Amino acid sequence: MQSPTQTHHTDVYYVPSSSIWPIVGSIALLTLAAGFVLYLGKVAAGPYVMGAGVAILATMLFGWFSTVIKESLAGKYSDQVDTSFRWGMAWFIFSEVAFFSGLFGALFYVRLITLPSLGHADLVWPNFEGVWPSAGPGLNKTITPVGAWGIPALNTLILLSSGATVTWAHWGLQKGRQAQLKLGLALTVLLGALFLGLQIHEYAEAAFSIRDGIFGALFYMLTGFHGFHVLLGTVMLTIILLRAMAGHFTPDRHFAFEAVAWYWHFVDVVWLLLFVFVYWI
Amino acid sequence: MAQNLRSNRQVSVCLPCRAVGSRPASAPALLFLSLLTSALPARADYAVNLQTPATGLANQVYDLHTLIVWICFVIFIIVLVPMGVALVRHRKSAGHEPAKFHHNTLVEWIWTIIPVLILVSMAWPATQLVVQMKDTSKEDLTIKITGRQWKWEYEYLGDGIRFISNSATSNEQIAGKQQKNEHYLLEVDKPLVVPTGRKVRIVLTAADVIHTWWVPALGVKQDAIPGFIRDAWFKVEQPGTYRGQCAELCGVGHAYMPVVVEAVPPQQFATWMQDQKTQLAAAEEASGKTYSLDELKARGEKVYAANCAACHQPTGMGISGAFPALSGSKIATGDKAGHMDIVLHGKPGTAMAAFGPQLSNLDLAAVITYERNSWNNKVGDAVQPSEIAARKK
Amino acid sequence: MYTATATDTHGHDHEHAPTGIMRWIASTNHKDIGTLYLWFSLFMFFFAGTLAMMIRAELFQPGLQLFQPGFFNQLTTMHGLIMIFGAIMPALVGFANWQIPLMIGASDMAFPRMNNWSFWLLPAAGLLLISTFFVPGGSIGGGWTMYPPLFIQGGIGYDMAILSVHLMGISSIMGAINIITTVLNMRAPGMTLMKMPLFVWTWFITAFLLIAVMPVLACAITMLLTDRNFGTHFFDAAGGGDAVMYQHLFWFFGHPEVYIMILPAFGIISTIIPTFSRKPLFGYVSMVYAVASIAFLSFIVWAHHMFTTGMPVAGQLFFMYTTMLIAVPTGVKVFNWISTLWRGAITFETPMLFALAFVILFAIGGFSGLVLALVPVDIQLQDTYYVVAHFHYVLFSGSAMAIMGGVYYWLPKWTGHMYDERLGKIHFWLTAIAFNITFFPMHFLGLAGMPRRIPDYALQFADFNMIASIGGFLLGASQLLFLYTVVKCVRGGAPAPARPWDGADTLEWTLPSPAPYHSFVTPPLVK
């Protein structure tokens, strides 16, 4: 997140002066949580309070990141600060890896341990087979999973291509070809949006819901959280595209771009695992 | 059981050794005890070790524990002595000048490797015991145990005997309005009866939340998990009454879910089985009769106290936000069929259990009649066992 | 060990502390944020401590005297949840905030604004959690472990608790990213990784654990939330789900969480003992390796919390062996501490008293942990008061007493005043004695067969419970003296020199006391 106008790197690590954005962020999340609780408690105001929380959160993110971009453009960030951003983003992605590991852990646990042991529990479920995909022994539902080689395969292709376009954009940036950067980013955003559109279509067509036993729960939880990350990634890519158009990035200082690219590749890898373990085998 | 408990209540049972007096007592435990007992009235309830084992497995667990505690105790002393020496002799006030050393690779390797060897020596007997505990094959009889909020259901698989075992401690004792008796919270209306000298395999499940069936003297503690089957086994050597409790937090009645196992000689067990079958037939017959509203209400009050009052409260007022009031409720004052349905089938996703499989038709009829005609509810109708039977179908 | 060249603390454009309420609300200063964490933690310590007093009051005698079982369950659940997430963890993060930049010669944390957000999420989470006491159905009573299906049954308070834990998780992850980046990127020239004070090392590894496991907890409780409200069947066998799967996910978080609470405490103890022995820490390198091994092992022992769930014999054996192995690096640490004492020039100031008590009492907690590691014995002791005794020896006489020792140790640097040594010592002795009266008898209760989490118990447990309650009240009351001593020190007292402990050699003691608002703006050169 370095500015092209920066002429020297200061030796002093930039410590920002006090900022109201963090407390605004806390208020936003508390409002959001309170609204959600009201919604769960079937209070009519719930969704509005949640909406207010989201609005405050959006304001906070806009304000906070504007400040960071301004500071960056003003040349306040030394190489050391840049390294901090890199570590910070890397560890953030690591935490996301841990989150998806938990979800995949649940998937493997159910497939390898839970369903077989339910299949053997004849005293409770006399006629249950316990084979994946299953909606469980007590719901009386059969699951017709989404086939891997229709939309999911197409989506795999789309996400892999988007990984390629974002890398191509990065090459353009490194070689100072701003047009290639913008085109590559625009294509990536487009592919991300296309993926989301197809995913929504797949949800609409699916023969099962999140309530349909463990398959429905795991399917929607895994693909839903992934889809949410694609959405976030697409929004961030859009912002990066806008910043690229504003000329914020130089061939050697453009960590904001790289951070989003890392994130995008991470989302890509998660999808590949989803494709294999949720859709395919 | 009395014998079993008594031996646990003696002050002289010391931490690492069961055979009182035959071996030296653990110093810290005794020191600690003498400190405590000197300050308190002489009501001697200071059991400081595992309960007296009643099965081979529990016995081995006892001995393993004793072994480990001794090993730990010796290591603890080995650690404390140099520490104590340093604290006394290497004080600044004693004029000690600090040394400068800060590592010694050889010593560090030694105190990494020796503990590994000690651990291996602990793991060996433990491993053998684990393998034994998990071996539930070659059983003589199998009992299915179902945990319910807050009672145990026992079913002798293959014999058709099935009953519920409720806590027998009265609310008056719990509230302190009555003298607590000897087996306070550890007594049930109908214990599990098993034969001595036979390998009893228990298979466990639960109807609502996770419970844990635990009898310390038998060395058995096994979670009962809703929708799954788990198993364990025990073989009781001596006839007696063995008491335990639910060990997994299972809601407001968790403390009031005792387990009582009565081990009897095999012949006596056979007689008991026969009795159960006779009683079962009699209950069947009782359910075929018709009863007056007052008869049902009187019986229902008892059923309510044992099964419903923990949540809905003896006053029928429930607990606001957690358990709905029955007094004045739409269900309990409305249509009979709706009332029967919720009692028979429960309400999924809430603490309201399905009582259909738990209680006899007569008890179900009685408790529903009671609920419809108590507190502010004055519906005036009686539900007969035959109506329950019809509704179940 | 550390000598720093002259540090420039002047000439910076915002040298003086901002004033008024905004100083605290909008702070980007690691010391102010550290202070906020510590006060928050102290408040929560007293709140959850009050719940503990209520628990011990009800358990003073058999029978139900003061509270109904439902409320009692809320007391135990909230006591655990708040002590862990509200008291111990924030206190240790407070230490990290204050000390890590000072100890590695950094001007602040790597992300000062995010640091502020990490803190200010906590009051929001705390508010959400504590307000569950005032909603219909009351607070959560399903145990701090939040096991389904019991947890599915509760009222709206349960959803609030889940969201609150989510907020605390976000806070922890951001805090951990901040710490790990600070350690990796903000060390002064010459401060190589293997020269870092052990406290910094322990937090570095702890931060890694936090980032690895907090998201898994988030994952598990999100599933709880959807099971409760949106009809999923993650933990419901009828739908092919599995209540035990929750326990696996939870303890995959939960066991590293235990080390998250103890590793920084190890770091504090490893700082205090060399200072008051006036001798360098023995076996620094093996200490670092021991901490790293404990952290590694913490990922492969989780199911020892679940031996009674009925896993296959191979599973029980695997988790028994890995759990027993933890004794090895833990033993190394204890031996190293004792070797540090050996042939030192020992004095017994309050921090040292806490550190010495830590070594002994934590060892007892370690031994009872070893006893519990053995599957057959664990089968007898799981979910009994033995376990309660064990984890209080590890978490109270472990983490909490290390935190208290650390507070006394660094109070002079934080406040610029010496604390009242006499009061500190009285506080120590009261705490140490009352602690043992409270928790040692619980070993016996557990062995004799008293389950945990019950408001009422059989008569043979009455006497030890009464003793534990008396000890508990004394322990609770003693902490008021802690509060008084700390407040007294903050408000005044003998001025503290830059280095009040003559055996202390880490970088923070090269700064004046209290530490200036901005320190090491130009990094010191560590030789």
Side-chain angles (χ1 to χ4, degrees):
Chain A
M1 299 192 186
Q2 285 300 313
S3 83
T5 56
Q6 186 174 338
T7 49
H8 72 287
H9 299 152
T10 50
D11 284 340
V12 174
Y13 192 92
Y14 177 68
V15 177
S17 55
S18 49
S19 166
I20 57 153
W21 296 119
I23 188 84
V24 175
S26 292
I27 292 167
L29 290 183
L30 184 60
T31 311
L32 187 58
F36 191 52
V37 170
L38 292 175
Y39 161 72
L40 293 178
K42 301 192 172 57
V43 177
Y48 300 103
V49 178
M50 283 176 77
V54 172
I56 303 172
L57 190 65
T59 311
M60 179 281 270
L61 288 171
F62 186 80
W64 192 327
F65 279 103
S66 299
T67 313
V68 171
I69 292 167
K70 267 185 219 131
E71 286 168 356
S72 173
L73 293 178
K76 289 184 173 170
Y77 295 166
S78 62
D79 285 347
Q80 197 187 2
V81 177
D82 195 61
T83 310
S84 283
F85 282 131
R86 281 164 196 280
W87 279 123
M89 190 66 197
W91 287 106
F92 169 66
I93 290 177
F94 179 73
S95 79
E96 294 271 32
V97 170
F99 182 78
F100 278 97
S101 305
L103 292 177
F104 275 102
L107 175 72
F108 294 135
Y109 188 87
V110 165
R111 292 184 60 166
L112 298 173
I113 296 177
T114 300
L115 286 176
S117 71
L118 282 173
H120 289 123
D122 291 340
L123 276 172
V124 199
W125 315 107
N127 301 312
F128 184 62
E129 291 283 348
V131 263
W132 185 260
S134 168
L139 295 192
N140 211 5
K141 284 250 166 70
T142 40
I143 291 287
T144 319
V146 178
W149 302 107
I151 290 178
L154 186 59
N155 263 344
T156 309
L157 205 63
I158 290 169
L159 271 196
L160 287 178
S161 313
S162 76
T165 53
V166 80
T167 308
W168 185 68
H170 193 201
W171 291 345
L173 175 52
Q174 284 171 325
K175 290 177 185 149
R177 296 183 200 134
Q178 292 283 326
Q180 182 181 337
L181 164 69
K182 288 169 208 164
L183 179 62
L185 274 172
L187 279 175
T188 315
V189 170
L190 216 60
L191 288 168
L194 189 60
F195 173 93
L196 285 170
L198 285 172
Q199 195 74 349
I200 290 167
H201 175 75
E202 178 190 293
Y203 281 9
E205 299 280 294
F208 52 89
S209 81
I210 197 169
R211 294 166 173 273
D212 290 337
I214 192 67
F215 183 86
L218 280 168
F219 177 87
Y220 284 103
M221 194 73 130
L222 275 158
T223 58
F225 268 109
H226 175 264
F228 179 67
H229 281 74
V230 175
L231 177 67
L232 277 183
T234 309
V235 170
M236 293 196 297
L237 280 167
T238 310
I239 293 167
I240 292 297
L241 174 61
L242 293 175
R243 287 191 63 191
M245 300 207 306
H248 282 188
F249 304 121
T250 64
D252 56 337
R253 316 283 304 179
H254 50 255
F255 180 65
F257 175 94
E258 284 179 76
V260 175
W262 290 357
Y263 189 79
W264 194 250
H265 288 309
F266 156 73
V267 170
D268 221 354
V269 172
V270 171
W271 174 260
L272 287 180
L273 293 171
L274 282 179
F275 179 71
V276 174
F277 294 110
V278 176
Y279 291 98
W280 186 7
I281 56 174
Chain B
M1 179 62 202
Q3 177 197 11
N4 180 37
L5 253 186
R6 218 173 299 126
S7 64
N8 273 293
R9 291 159 148 250
Q10 285 164 5
V11 187
S12 51
V13 178
C14 54
L15 187 61
C17 63
R18 174 169 15 122
V20 181
S22 66
R23 275 182 277 177
S26 147
L30 273 193
L31 178 70
F32 189 79
L33 282 184
S34 57
L35 280 174
L36 293 178
T37 44
S38 60
L40 284 152
R43 229 182 87 205
D45 265 335
Y46 301 104
V48 295
N49 203 347
L50 291 165
Q51 292 186 15
T52 311
T55 62
L57 278 184
N59 213 20
Q60 291 183 63
V61 171
Y62 194 110
D63 291 340
L64 179 64
H65 175 253
T66 306
L67 174 74
I68 303 305
V69 169
W70 271 114
I71 295 176
C72 289
F73 185 68
V74 170
I75 299 173
F76 194 42
I77 297 301
I78 293 173
V79 170
L80 281 187
V81 166
M83 185 172 173
V85 171
L87 294 186
V88 173
R89 295 193 31 206
H90 304 152
R91 276 176 299 141
K92 193 183 178 209
S93 58
H96 195 270
E97 285 293 318
K100 297 271 178 248
F101 67 89
H102 53 76
H103 75 284
N104 182 328
T105 312
L106 176 69
V107 172
E108 290 171 55
W109 273 111
I110 290 174
W111 68 41
T112 307
I113 289 166
I114 290 183
V116 172
L117 299 177
I118 297 174
L119 289 175
V120 170
S121 73
M122 290 178 171
W124 179 245
T127 302
Q128 289 177 312
L129 194 44
V130 172
V131 172
Q132 272 186 59
M133 287 179 122
K134 296 297 284 188
D135 179 13
T136 52
S137 64
K138 298 194 192 101
E139 74 278 15
D140 295 312
L141 79 157
T142 303
I143 299 169
K144 183 184 170 199
I145 301 177
T146 308
R148 297 178 181 279
Q149 284 175 320
W150 292 278
K151 59 203 136 209
W152 295 101
E153 180 188 316
Y154 300 112
E155 184 180 353
Y156 293 73
L157 290 183
D159 289 300
I161 307 289
R162 194 171 68 99
F163 58 88
I164 303 250
S165 176
N166 279 299
S167 165
T169 299
S170 70
N171 285 332
E172 286 71 26
Q173 285 188 30
I174 293 168
K177 289 174 192 148
Q178 223 177 60
Q179 181 77 30
K180 294 176 176 47
N181 69 21
E182 191 189 0
H183 298 306
Y184 177 72
L185 298 188
L186 296 175
E187 54 197 346
V188 295
D189 54 357
K190 202 164 175 193
L192 175 69
V193 179
V194 297
T196 52
R198 298 278 189 275
K199 182 167 182 177
V200 180
R201 172 173 177 250
I202 51 173
V203 292
L204 302 100
T205 188
D208 32 48
V209 303
I210 301 175
H211 302 273
T212 301
W213 195 85
W214 178 34
V215 182
L218 303 188
V220 176
K221 182 188 279 155
Q222 175 60 54
D223 291 2
I225 298 152
F228 291 83
I229 294 288
R230 298 287 199 263
D231 65 355
W233 69 276
F234 57 85
K235 187 155 122 187
V236 189
E237 307 297 345
Q238 294 298 319
T241 308
Y242 303 98
R243 293 166 199 272
Q245 280 176 278
C246 176
E248 179 69 56
L249 178 61
C250 56
V252 297
H254 173 48
Y256 308 102
M257 201 175 157
V259 177
V260 178
V261 176
E262 223 168 84
V264 295
Q267 310 87 319
Q268 204 179 323
F269 179 72
T271 324
W272 178 83
M273 271 295 216
Q274 204 48 53
D275 278 0
Q276 295 305 303
K277 286 176 184 163
T278 321
Q279 279 177 26
L280 209 63
E284 198 95 337
E285 202 189 316
S287 281
K289 291 182 187 159
T290 304
Y291 297 85
S292 76
L293 192 138
D294 283 342
E295 281 173 333
L296 286 168
K297 230 184 117 177
R299 188 182 180 95
E301 188 170 3
K302 288 183 194 129
V303 180
Y304 182 86
N307 295 286
C308 318
C311 295
H312 296 296
Q313 302 298 304
T315 55
M317 294 310 293
I319 294 173
S320 171
F323 307 113
L326 299 184
S327 182
S329 94
K330 278 186 191 133
I331 293 172
T333 57
D335 181 33
K336 243 191 212 179
H339 193 174
M340 284 195 274
D341 281 345
I342 196 160
V343 175
L344 288 177
H345 308 300
K347 191 171 177 194
T350 70
M352 181 62 196
F355 286 92
Q358 296 186 45
L359 301 174
S360 71
N361 290 351
L362 175 55
D363 283 347
L364 286 164
V367 78
I368 295 172
T369 306
Y370 173 75
E371 287 171 2
R372 297 174 77 73
N373 297 290
S374 302
W375 319 298
N376 293 329
N377 303 350
K378 304 203 164 43
V379 186
D381 57 1
V383 177
Q384 295 299 336
S386 54
E387 291 176 75
I388 297 287
R391 194 79 203 163
K392 270 185 178 173
K393 279 169 191 160
Chain C
M1 191 170 172
Y2 303 107
T3 46
T5 54
T7 53
D8 173 18
T9 54
H10 297 284
H12 201 258
D13 54 346
H14 41 83
E15 167 58 30
H16 297 292
T19 49
I21 185 83
M22 290 314 280
R23 167 178 177 183
W24 302 104
I25 286 179
S27 180
T28 49
N29 181 289
H30 74 101
K31 300 183 189 82
D32 279 356
I33 295 172
T35 304
L36 285 170
Y37 265 110
L38 289 165
W39 281 118
F40 176 81
S41 147
L42 194 64
F43 174 78
M44 286 304 201
F45 178 65
F46 277 98
F47 184 87
T50 308
L51 302 185
M53 294 302 104
M54 291 160 80
I55 294 170
R56 281 318 322 168
E58 176 56 51
L59 292 176
F60 190 70
Q61 284 178 353
L64 290 181
Q65 283 79 34
L66 303 169
F67 311 116
Q68 285 304 303
F71 186 66
F72 181 88
N73 288 345
Q74 295 171 21
L75 292 177
T76 53
T77 302
M78 292 292 274
H79 167 72
L81 212 50
I82 295 177
M83 278 296 185
I84 289 167
F85 288 105
I88 303 272
M89 287 174 69
L92 293 172
V93 182
F95 277 91
N97 259 297
W98 255 101
Q99 293 310 130
I100 289 177
L102 293 186
M103 287 176 130
I104 62 173
S107 56
D108 206 298
M109 298 291 278
F111 304 109
R113 275 184 292 243
M114 191 169 83
N115 198 17
N116 176 303
W117 200 17
S118 299
F119 171 74
W120 279 105
L121 278 174
L122 288 183
L127 193 65
L128 203 56
L129 192 59
I130 290 176
S131 56
T132 56
F133 276 114
F134 308 102
V135 297
S139 188
I140 55 169
W144 84 276
T145 49
M146 305 188 272
Y147 280 6
L150 183 62
F151 206 79
I152 309 291
Q153 291 181 348
I156 193 80
Y158 286 59
D159 297 311
M160 294 165 72
I162 290 173
L163 295 174
S164 167
V165 174
H166 269 309
L167 291 185
M168 294 189 279
I170 297 171
S171 157
S172 288
I173 291 170
M174 288 197 299
I177 291 176
N178 218 335
I179 287 167
I180 220 164
T181 305
T182 305
V183 172
L184 284 169
N185 194 39
M186 304 285 284
R187 280 170 287 124
M191 176 63 77
T192 60
L193 282 175
M194 290 313 275
K195 269 191 196 167
M196 290 196 307
L198 208 76
F199 176 73
V200 181
W201 257 113
T202 54
W203 244 116
F204 180 52
I205 290 169
T206 300
F208 169 77
L209 291 180
L210 275 170
I211 302 175
V213 302
M214 274 294 171
V216 178
L217 174 68
C219 176
I221 61 174
T222 302
M223 292 182 192
L224 274 184
L225 192 71
T226 59
D227 266 18
R228 284 175 52 80
N229 297 296
F230 304 111
T232 56
H233 295 86
F234 285 109
F235 308 127
D236 175 12
D242 192 340
V244 176
M245 176 170 82
Y246 173 85
Q247 299 184 18
H248 281 289
L249 287 169
F250 181 86
W251 288 113
F252 185 81
F253 145 81
H255 202 81
E257 167 70 16
V258 173
Y259 295 137
I260 286 163
M261 291 186 281
I262 200 66
L263 293 183
F266 285 168
I268 294 171
I269 299 305
S270 302
T271 310
I272 293 175
I273 288 184
T275 294
F276 296 100
S277 305
R278 291 163 184 77
K279 203 168 141 268
L281 181 67
F282 185 87
Y284 171 86
V285 176
S286 65
M287 284 298 221
V288 173
Y289 286 137
V291 174
S293 322
I294 293 173
F296 169 74
L297 286 171
S298 75
F299 286 107
I300 52 168
V301 298
W302 77 88
H304 69 219
H305 296 269
M306 304 161 54
F307 282 147
T308 60
T309 57
M311 67 186 83
V313 69
Q316 289 194 332
L317 290 177
F318 173 80
F319 287 107
M320 175 171 82
Y321 299 149
T322 51
T323 305
M324 293 175 78
L325 269 184
I326 289 181
V328 177
T330 313
V332 166
K333 298 193 79 72
V334 172
F335 300 142
N336 282 344
W337 287 324
I338 291 171
S339 305
T340 307
L341 292 170
W342 189 253
R343 293 181 53 207
I346 302 168
T347 51
F348 298 93
E349 288 83 350
T350 309
M352 183 62 158
L353 291 176
F354 274 100
L356 294 172
F358 173 97
V359 173
I360 297 169
L361 299 177
F362 181 80
I364 295 177
F367 285 129
S368 59
L370 188 58
V371 170
L372 287 168
L374 298 165
V375 175
V377 184
D378 180 80
I379 299 277
Q380 282 287 29
L381 298 177
Q382 164 79 15
D383 277 321
T384 67
Y385 261 80
Y386 193 90
V387 176
V388 177
H390 162 70
F391 67 69
H392 280 95
Y393 267 81
V394 178
L395 285 179
F396 193 101
S397 64
S399 306
M401 280 174 72
I403 288 168
M404 289 169 190
V407 166
Y408 286 113
Y409 183 68
W410 278 301
L411 263 180
K413 181 56 62 191
W414 297 343
T415 64
H417 307 296
M418 296 306 288
Y419 61 88
D420 187 325
E421 189 65 58
R422 198 175 57 95
L423 289 182
K425 280 183 176 157
I426 295 173
H427 169 237
F428 165 76
W429 284 110
L430 284 173
T431 302
I433 292 167
F435 168 80
N436 282 293
I437 298 176
T438 313
F439 293 104
F440 204 80
M442 290 187 188
H443 291 111
F444 303 142
L445 285 171
L447 285 165
M450 177 168 165
R452 62 190 284 209
R453 293 169 166 170
I454 52 174
D456 193 356
Y457 46 83
L459 299 181
Q460 68 263 39
F461 307 126
D463 295 331
F464 277 137
N465 266 296
M466 193 176 280
I467 294 168
S469 286
I470 292 168
F473 299 144
L474 184 60
L475 185 59
S478 312
Q479 303 322 308
L480 295 173
L481 184 58
F482 179 53
L483 180 67
Y484 175 76
T485 313
V486 169
V487 170
K488 190 177 168 207
C489 177
V490 171
R491 296 172 63 115
R499 194 164 68 104
W501 318 121
D502 53 359
D505 63 357
T506 40
L507 275 181
E508 72 270 34
W509 308 111
T510 63
L511 296 168
S513 297
Y517 195 66
H518 291 288
S519 44
F520 298 131
V521 174
T522 308
L525 187 66
V526 178
K527 286 172 184 159

